[in-house]
């Protein structure tokens, strides 16, 4: 399916095909990916698993079963395995062949839901698989379908966490499982030549204190598998995970899966050499021959946005492992970027890392030859890509040094290409397939440009921002400004596609969009990221003020007298902070999504290490620090019309924050509106909910700058239905209250 449209609207964004990252087969001729689309006509989602010819660009549908997910190549041919969820909660391992479309069979079934599938091919016809699934306290696989409804809904907790992200913490824990996928020998005629799943083992059955992947967002980036071992990262069980980020990295020997033996392997901890304390760890990976591994490690406990350092380990059988920090130098200076993922090259002599760099997610290469031969840990990064945002890197074929890249930009939702690290500037091969590129949406990279301005009081540093103009932009005309503030606060607007906060959606309404990366943003050096600590409403606010002044003075086509500002999470905090300060009077309207109203309410958040770090310690030791940057202290200044959005499953910032802000606006007589989704968390993920979100937001800001409302009949009917339902509920509650009073 190729979606073509003359105008990029919220409905187009939400219903457009969403493709996963892709991976090529052993010979490099085909790439495998999954895709989903949503239909507002049928109000349903469809999904499929596809292969695309790397040279031809032609895609072939392997299955449109909505229960199929996580396709992976197995063996050295074109055979594929994917997971299929059953109605009873079980998971089947389904085998397919890209050369024989429509022919599938089940290699084995697991008695519960599993995910995060990883495969290490041992030889043609044999592969080790690792995956995650929750385990019961006795080590068996947890299946929610087997759990009866309790007689009481009460929960009792004696320590943190009580709840995390959007769910209450339950006794079941994430666990790594291993098994063998093997073709049946030729002497077994009934299933000759078919794959079978053997020896499923809970690697952590004897070690329930460990949890991997780590919730709420951990996945395949928290473990890896090779011929004989798995490596995993897990929170240190000796400290409270709500107030600490320290992780431990362990290697475990995989038992012989054919004998279906219970593993007696003890986890061997990898000790960071020269470190007594450290922080979070992620992205453990083995070299292709399994002799080396690498992972990412932060230095500071309690700080989830500290710089990641690359750790290298030489595997040594039966001994305690030590990791060496790769000393990354850019000329004679330390490399100040923070890698987010790593992998070894096909020959194991290079390490490839993705890292945010000036509003992009780029690929870097590190030569490990000196470390492999002499033990020297010095390396210099070589930048292989310079634009867009990479989501995943894979080998282009089994032994090739070429790389298969999955990426996106502000205007292209999914880009696949092959990169040759020996000559990345000229040896790039685009894999077209049915391209999800900007042209199909009426978008163009020509709409996007970059800005820099002097930030802070002393103007000692520069602030970077992205600008996006409408596709129908004319330089002689004036357009209202949409100032987008990102969350985090240690985050950034990167040149990548998003289905939630997409600058193009606002640009196509007729705004010039400016998305700044002020103090605290990632990808501009660790010092710049760290500078927001204990300065939430300080330096970042000053950077935004300077940015507004710069836009006001430099761009005649931007009408700053018709400006709006929008933000979520920390961006929502900044909306409330701006509302109470001078910059708030520069905007016609504000939009605050799941933002902070009162710093004291941070104590109700799930991950307490976050405010402990960013606000300078616990509140009983630093009340002044919490008060200094508290938006609720300045509510006497609130006067700009503001839309408040807050969801009931947001346990990162509880819904009381949104209600408090809305109540203040209402009592002060400020034009305001409150939108809430009872089934959404910190984000709005449901397709229909997303359309309502976009409609309410766009209609709100358009009203104050003189642009027409979103012309989408279905969306407007849905929004009107939400409003009427709320009114009916409100009237019913008032009548009930009146009856109580009368009685």
């Amino acid at each position: 399916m190729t979606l073509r449209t003359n105008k990029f609207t919220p409905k187009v964004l939400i219903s457009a095909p969403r493709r996963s990252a892709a991976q090529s087969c052993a010979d490099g001729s085909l790439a495998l990916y999954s895709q989903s689309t949503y239909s507002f006509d049928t109000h349903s989602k469809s999904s499929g698993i596809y292969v695309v010819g790397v040279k031809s660009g032609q895609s072939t549908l392997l299955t449109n079963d909505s229960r199929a997910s996580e396709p992976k190549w197995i063996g050295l041919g074109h055979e594929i395995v994917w997971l299929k969820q059953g109605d009873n909660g079980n998971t089947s391992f389904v085998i397919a062949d890209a050369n024989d479309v429509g022919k599938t069979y089940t290699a084995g079934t697991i008695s519960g839901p599993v995910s995060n599938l990883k495969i290490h091919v041992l030889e043609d016809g044999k592969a080790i698989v690792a995956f995650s699934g929750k385990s019961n306290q006795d080590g068996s696989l947890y299946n929610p379908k087997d759990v009866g409804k309790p007689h009481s809904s009460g929960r009792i907790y004696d320590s943190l966490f009580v709840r995390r992200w959007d769910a209450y913490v339950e006794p079941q824990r994430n666990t790594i499982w291993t098994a063998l996928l093997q073709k049946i020998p030729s002497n077994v005629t009934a299933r000759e030549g078919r794959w079978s799943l053997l020896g499923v083992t809970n690697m952590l059955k004897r070690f329930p204190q460990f949890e991997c992947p780590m919730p709420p967002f951990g996945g395949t980036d928290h473990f890896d598998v090779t011929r004989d071992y798995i490596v995993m990262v897990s929170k240190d069980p000796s400290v409270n995970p709500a107030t600490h980020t320290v992780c431990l990295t362990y290697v475990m020997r995989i038992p012989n899966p054919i004998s279906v033996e219970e593993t007696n392997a003890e986890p061997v901890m990898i000790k960071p050499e020269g470190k007594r304390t450290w922080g979070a760890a992620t992205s453990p990976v083995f070299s292709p021959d399994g002799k080396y591994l690498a992972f990412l490690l932060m230095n500071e406990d309690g700080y989830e946005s500290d710089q990641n350092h690359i750790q290298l380990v030489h595997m040594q059988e039966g001994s305690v492992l030590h990791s060496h920090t790769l000393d990354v130098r850019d000329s004679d200076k330390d490399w100040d970027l923070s890698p987010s993922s790593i992998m070894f090259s096909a020959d194991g002599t290079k390490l490839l890392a993705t890292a945010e760099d000036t509003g992009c997610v780029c690929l870097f290469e590190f030569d490990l030859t000196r470390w492999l031969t002499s033990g020297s840990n010095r390396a210099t990064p070589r930048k292989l890509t310079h634009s867009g945002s990479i989501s995943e890197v894979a080998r282009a074929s089994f032994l090739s040094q070429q790389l298969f890249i999955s990426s996106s930009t502000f205007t292209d939702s999914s880009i696949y290409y092959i990169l040759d690290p020996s000559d990345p500037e000229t040896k790039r091969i685009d894999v077209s397939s049915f391209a999800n590129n900007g042209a199909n949406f009426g978008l163009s990279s020509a709409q996007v440009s970059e800005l820099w301005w002097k930030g802070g009081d002393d103007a000692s540093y520069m602030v970077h921002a992205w600008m996006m103009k409408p596709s129908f932009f004319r330089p002689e005309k004036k357009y209202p400004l949409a100032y987008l503030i990102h969350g985090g606060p240690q985050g950034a607007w990167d040149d990548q596609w998003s289905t939630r906060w997409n600058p193009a959606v606002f640009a196509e309404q007729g705004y010039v969009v400016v998305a700044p990366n002020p103090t605290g943003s990632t990808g501009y050096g660790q010092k710049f990221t760290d500078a927001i600590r204990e300065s939430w409403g300080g330096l970042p606010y000053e950077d935004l003020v300077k940015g507004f002044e710069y836009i006001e003075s430099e761009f005649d086509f931007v009408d700053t007298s018709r400006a709006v500002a929008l933000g979520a999470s920390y961006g929502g905090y900044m909306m409330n902070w701006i509302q109470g300060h001078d910059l708030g009077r520069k905007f016609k309207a504000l939009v605050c999504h799941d933002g902070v109203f009162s710093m004291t309410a941070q104590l109700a958040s799930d991950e307490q290490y976050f405010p402990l770090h960013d606000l300078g310690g616990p509140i009983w030791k630093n009340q002044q620090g919490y008060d200094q940057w508290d938006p609720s202290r300045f509510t006497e200044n609130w006067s700009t019309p503001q839309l408040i959005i807050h969801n009931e499953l947001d346990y990162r910032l509880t819904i009381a924050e949104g209600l408090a802000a809305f109540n203040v606006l209402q009592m002060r007589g400020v034009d305001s509106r409150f939108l809430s989704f009872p089934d959404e968390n910190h984000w709005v993920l449901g397709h229909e909910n997303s359309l309502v979100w976009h409609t309410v937001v766009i209609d709100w800001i358009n009203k104050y700058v003189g642009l027409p409302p979103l012309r989408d009949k279905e969306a407007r009917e849905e929004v009107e239905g939400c409003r009427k339902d709320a009114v009916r509920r409100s009237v019913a509650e008032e009548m009930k209250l009146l009856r109580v009073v009368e009685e």
Side-chain angles (χ1 to χ4, degrees):
M1 172 187 175
T2 299
L3 178 65
R4 296 186 182 275
T5 178
N6 293 324
K7 184 168 182 178
F8 187 64
T9 65
K11 182 180 284 189
V12 171
L13 168 69
I14 299 164
S15 60
R18 304 184 187 187
R19 296 198 302 194
S20 70
Q23 41 184 273
S24 54
C25 60
D27 64 16
S29 63
L30 298 172
L32 179 66
Y33 66 95
S34 57
Q35 176 178 284
S36 67
T37 58
Y38 189 81
S39 169
F40 284 101
D41 293 329
T42 62
H43 303 285
S44 62
K45 184 173 76 170
S46 59
S47 59
I49 294 173
Y50 296 80
V51 290
V52 56
V54 171
K55 291 184 178 180
S56 69
Q58 296 297 313
S59 287
T60 301
L61 175 66
L62 298 180
T63 180
N64 60 0
D65 190 334
S66 61
R67 298 170 296 175
S69 65
E70 301 191 41
K72 298 287 187 297
W73 298 105
I74 49 174
L76 302 178
H78 291 169
E79 289 178 295
I80 299 157
V81 61
W82 64 68
L83 303 180
K84 179 178 177 179
Q85 300 299 319
D87 294 335
N88 57 358
N90 293 350
T91 305
S92 296
F93 285 64
V94 177
I95 306 297
D97 193 322
N99 299 322
D100 192 1
V101 177
K103 184 179 179 181
T104 64
Y105 64 90
T106 298
T109 299
I110 306 294
S111 59
V114 299
S115 60
N116 297 312
L117 178 63
K118 274 197 169 183
I119 294 181
H120 178 79
V121 177
L122 300 173
E123 58 190 61
D124 199 20
K126 185 183 292 186
I128 293 288
V129 296
F131 46 91
S132 68
K134 288 186 178 295
S135 66
N136 296 306
Q137 292 171 303
D138 63 358
S140 61
L141 183 63
Y142 170 68
N143 189 335
K145 297 288 186 179
D146 296 336
V147 179
K149 186 177 180 180
H151 297 292
S152 171
S153 61
R155 297 184 178 98
I156 298 175
Y157 296 87
D158 296 309
S159 65
L160 301 175
F161 287 102
V162 171
R163 56 188 189 177
R164 192 166 194 179
W165 189 248
D166 59 4
Y168 280 81
V169 173
E170 301 290 351
Q172 296 79 22
R173 299 172 70 85
N174 292 337
T175 298
I176 302 298
W177 305 73
T178 59
L180 180 71
L181 266 176
Q182 183 173 1
K183 281 195 173 181
I184 300 297
S186 58
N187 60 345
V188 183
T189 57
R191 292 174 59 86
E192 181 179 347
R194 288 195 168 196
W195 293 86
S196 185
L197 187 71
L198 306 170
V200 178
T201 303
N202 179 353
M203 294 296 295
L204 299 178
K205 182 175 181 178
R206 294 174 52 238
F207 311 98
Q209 69 272 31
F210 300 126
E211 183 169 25
C212 183
M214 295 177 288
F217 303 121
T220 55
D221 59 333
H222 285 182
F223 68 96
D224 198 20
V225 59
T226 188
R227 173 177 293 271
D228 299 309
Y229 296 95
I230 63 164
V231 58
M232 68 170 190
V233 294
S234 178
K235 286 291 186 76
D236 184 347
S238 69
V239 298
N240 194 308
T243 53
H244 294 269
T245 58
V246 58
C247 292
L248 305 180
T249 305
Y250 289 95
V251 173
M252 293 182 71
R253 176 174 282 279
I254 299 173
N256 183 348
I258 298 178
S259 68
V260 200
E261 66 183 28
E262 202 64 57
T263 177
N264 292 313
E266 293 282 342
V268 178
M269 178 182 169
I270 300 176
K271 298 179 180 179
E273 192 168 65
K275 296 180 185 290
R276 298 185 64 182
T277 61
W278 56 88
T282 189
S283 196
V285 290
F286 285 107
S287 61
D289 60 8
K291 294 180 179 178
Y292 305 93
L293 66 86
F295 62 99
L296 299 175
L297 185 68
M298 295 181 180
N299 285 335
E300 186 176 347
D301 180 20
Y303 183 26
E304 63 182 352
S305 298
D306 194 16
Q307 183 179 14
N308 272 318
H309 297 275
I310 299 172
Q311 306 293 305
L312 299 173
V313 181
H314 187 179
M315 294 285 290
Q316 300 174 41
E317 179 73 28
S319 63
V320 177
L321 302 174
H322 294 270
S323 69
H324 306 270
T325 302
L326 187 65
D327 183 12
V328 182
R329 299 273 174 168
D330 193 352
S331 298
D332 60 343
K333 297 181 180 179
D334 292 341
W335 192 56
D336 203 25
L337 299 180
S338 183
S340 54
S341 69
I342 52 176
M343 65 173 285
F344 283 91
S345 61
D347 62 3
T349 64
K350 307 288 194 305
L351 199 66
L352 301 154
T354 59
E356 284 184 285
D357 186 7
T358 320
C360 299
V361 180
C362 302
L363 182 63
F364 296 84
E365 180 188 79
F366 305 94
D367 192 335
L368 301 180
T369 304
R370 293 173 61 190
W371 179 69
L372 294 170
T373 57
S374 66
S376 172
N377 64 340
R378 175 73 66 87
T380 301
R382 185 165 74 99
K383 193 172 181 178
L384 301 181
T385 65
H386 298 80
S387 61
S389 292
I390 293 174
S391 58
E392 191 166 303
V393 182
R395 288 197 286 271
S397 60
F398 190 62
L399 296 176
S400 172
Q401 300 302 314
Q402 291 184 324
L403 304 170
F404 195 99
I405 308 293
S406 301
S407 67
S408 69
T409 68
F410 280 132
T411 55
D412 295 323
S413 65
S414 179
I415 304 169
Y416 299 149
Y417 62 92
I418 294 175
L419 185 75
D420 188 339
S422 67
D423 188 3
E425 298 298 329
T426 60
K427 293 184 178 180
R428 167 174 163 166
I429 303 170
D430 290 320
V431 180
S432 56
S433 78
F434 52 93
N436 286 13
N437 57 39
N440 291 334
F441 303 138
L443 303 176
S444 165
S445 59
Q447 296 175 240
V448 182
S449 57
E450 298 178 64
L451 311 178
W452 290 90
W453 61 75
K454 293 180 178 179
D457 290 332
D458 57 6
S460 61
Y461 59 91
M462 301 294 288
V463 175
H464 176 244
W466 293 101
M467 175 183 279
M468 190 166 195
K469 305 183 187 76
S471 59
F472 45 86
F473 174 78
R474 298 291 181 270
E476 68 276 7
K477 293 187 177 182
K478 280 186 172 289
Y479 301 87
L481 170 68
Y483 213 28
L484 303 185
I485 314 303
H486 68 67
Q490 293 90 356
W493 291 111
D494 291 324
D495 182 17
Q496 65 183 358
W497 190 259
S498 173
T499 56
R500 292 187 287 114
W501 283 86
N502 192 312
V505 164
F506 300 99
E508 294 307 278
Q509 288 296 306
Y511 291 92
V512 169
V513 178
V514 175
N517 287 328
T519 297
S521 299
T522 49
Y524 302 88
Q526 194 61 38
K527 182 179 178 181
F528 191 76
T529 302
D530 294 345
I532 196 172
R533 185 178 186 183
E534 298 184 66
S535 186
W536 269 33
L539 289 173
Y541 174 77
E542 294 299 328
D543 294 344
L544 297 175
V545 171
K546 292 292 183 67
F548 192 93
E549 293 171 350
Y550 176 78
I551 297 164
E552 201 170 28
S553 63
E554 295 295 322
F555 301 103
D556 292 337
F557 53 82
V558 179
D559 186 356
T560 53
S561 69
R562 293 191 297 146
V564 295
L566 310 88
S569 195
Y570 173 78
Y573 161 88
M574 187 53 71
M575 293 302 102
N576 291 336
W577 185 260
I578 285 173
Q579 176 71 274
H581 292 78
D582 292 342
L583 185 56
R585 310 293 78 77
K586 296 281 190 178
F587 296 106
K588 291 295 185 182
L590 303 172
V591 176
C592 170
H593 175 108
D594 287 1
V596 176
F597 172 74
S598 169
M599 285 303 199
T600 303
Q602 291 290 288
L603 297 176
S605 186
D606 50 359
E607 293 174 342
Q608 283 299 297
Y609 55 73
F610 180 68
L612 286 175
H613 174 273
D614 271 32
L615 302 180
I619 192 169
W620 56 90
K621 290 186 178 181
N622 188 25
Q623 183 70 58
Q624 182 179 355
Y626 281 69
D627 292 343
Q628 183 179 9
W629 308 118
D630 192 330
S632 67
R633 290 178 55 232
F634 304 95
T635 53
E636 64 179 354
N637 300 327
W638 286 27
S639 59
T640 301
Q642 184 166 341
L643 169 65
I644 302 290
I645 305 168
H646 221 108
N647 301 324
E648 291 190 25
L649 293 183
D650 186 356
Y651 300 157
R652 183 63 49 93
L653 293 168
T654 65
I655 192 172
E657 293 289 271
L659 288 168
F662 179 66
N663 290 349
V664 166
L665 291 163
Q666 287 283 299
M667 289 187 290
R668 285 186 56 78
V670 179
D671 196 8
S672 51
R673 171 171 271 192
F674 181 73
L675 171 63
S676 179
F677 297 97
D679 54 347
E680 299 282 7
N681 53 37
H682 202 53
W683 303 328
V684 175
L685 302 177
H687 294 81
E688 303 284 350
N689 288 346
S690 180
L691 184 57
V692 170
W693 185 96
H694 280 90
T695 304
V696 172
V697 168
I698 289 172
D699 281 358
W700 179 261
I701 58 177
N702 285 6
K703 177 175 68 172
Y704 292 98
V705 301
L707 291 176
L710 190 65
R711 292 190 174 92
D712 189 311
K713 183 174 180 292
E714 291 179 9
R716 297 200 59 75
E717 288 176 350
E718 188 68 27
V719 170
E720 185 62 20
C722 292
R723 192 189 68 81
K724 288 179 179 178
D725 286 345
V727 170
R728 282 194 291 268
R729 288 194 297 269
S730 177
V731 170
E733 288 167 1
E734 288 184 12
M735 294 299 292
K736 182 178 179 181
L737 180 61
L738 284 173
R739 285 195 295 271
V740 170
V741 171
E742 289 173 355
E743 291 174 0

